[in-house]
């Protein structure tokens, strides 16, 4: 028996957090019954799990793992959906659109390497803050940041109510 949101994430449907949102929103059924309770335990080998009416593959170890590298252009959102209807990175991967999700995210106007996969365990390993996988970002800014701005980045900034990890700053002129 495993938690439903973990199975949905491992199937590559969504991150664990997004899987929880799908469950609470009423988008998930198990054996034909609507499930909205987080932490619901299911048997991935026996139970029929559907997300938005689509049966997910319960035999997770047999699912072919896909890993895509995308040079994300500016002006695309690192997401599978957007209520504001902005362009999505998922729209750039052609026939893989419905099979993968972005690993982590880059800002809408940022560009650079982005991983996409259907491997939920890989996504958790790479993207979850608790795993402390180092990431390197190269940022070009207009002008020269002030001393206080550099110190703020070095301490970490507050995003969505959580302080980011401290940043190591290298100035290249």
């Amino acid at each position: 028996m495993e938690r439903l949101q973990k199975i949905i994430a491992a199937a590559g449907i969504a991150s664990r957090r997004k899987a929880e949102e799908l469950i609470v929103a009423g988008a998930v059924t198990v054996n034909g019954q609507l499930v909205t309770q987080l932490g619901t335990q299911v048997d991935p080998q026996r139970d029929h799990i559907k997300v938005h009416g689509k049966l997910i593959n319960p035999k997770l170890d047999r699912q072919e793992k896909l890993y895509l590298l995308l040079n994300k252009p500016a002006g695309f959102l690192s997401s599978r959906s957007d209520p504001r209807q902005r362009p999505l990175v998922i729209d750039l991967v052609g026939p893989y659109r419905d099979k993968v999700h972005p690993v982590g995210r880059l800002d809408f106007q940022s560009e650079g390497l982005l991983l996409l996969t259907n491997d939920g365990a890989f996504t958790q390993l790479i993207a979850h803050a608790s795993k402390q996988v180092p990431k390197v970002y190269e940022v070009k800014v207009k002008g020269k940041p002030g001393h206080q701005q550099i110190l703020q980045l070095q301490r970490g900034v507050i995003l969505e109510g959580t302080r980011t990890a401290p940043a190591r700053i290298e100035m290249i002129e």
Side-chain angles (χ1 to χ4, degrees):
M1 300 293 280
E2 293 184 64
R3 286 180 297 133
L4 181 57
Q5 60 262 37
K6 182 177 178 184
I7 292 169
I8 293 169
I13 305 299
S15 69
R16 262 190 221 187
R17 186 173 6 167
K18 288 291 183 187
E20 290 172 353
E21 291 173 12
L22 289 169
I23 292 166
V24 171
V28 179
T29 61
V30 177
N31 300 325
Q33 299 294 313
L34 182 66
V35 176
T36 58
Q37 181 68 39
L38 293 180
T40 298
Q41 297 281 318
V42 296
D43 183 342
Q45 300 303 319
R46 294 186 186 166
D47 292 321
H48 294 269
I49 304 160
K50 291 185 179 181
V51 177
H52 294 298
K54 183 178 176 186
L55 184 66
I56 66 172
N57 184 357
K59 295 177 174 48
L60 302 175
D61 54 341
R62 290 192 201 165
Q63 182 181 14
E64 179 184 12
K65 303 295 185 200
L66 298 172
Y67 305 91
L68 305 177
L69 299 175
L70 174 70
N71 185 12
K72 179 198 162 309
F76 283 82
L77 191 64
S78 298
S79 180
R80 290 193 49 79
S81 63
D82 181 34
R84 293 173 38 195
Q85 303 299 310
R86 293 174 289 185
L88 305 171
V89 294
I90 207 75
D91 296 326
L92 300 173
V93 295
Y96 299 102
R97 184 192 194 292
D98 295 326
K99 297 178 181 178
V100 296
H101 59 268
V103 177
R105 50 186 179 196
L106 291 173
D107 290 335
F108 185 69
Q109 290 303 331
S110 295
E111 56 188 52
L113 179 67
L114 185 66
L115 298 167
L116 297 103
T117 186
N118 64 348
D119 185 344
F122 176 76
T123 300
Q124 285 294 316
L125 176 69
I126 297 299
H128 200 275
S130 68
K131 305 299 183 194
Q132 298 183 349
V133 174
K135 296 160 187 75
V136 176
Y137 299 92
E138 185 175 309
V139 179
K140 293 180 184 178
V141 296
K142 191 181 252 185
K144 187 173 182 179
H147 180 71
Q148 288 293 62
Q149 292 168 312
I150 297 295
L151 288 176
Q152 185 178 12
L153 288 171
Q154 288 174 329
R155 286 191 302 262
V157 296
I158 305 293
L159 293 177
E160 299 176 3
T162 305
R163 184 173 296 279
T164 64
R168 190 183 84 211
I169 310 290
E170 290 182 31
M171 301 278 290
I172 302 172
E173 304 208 24

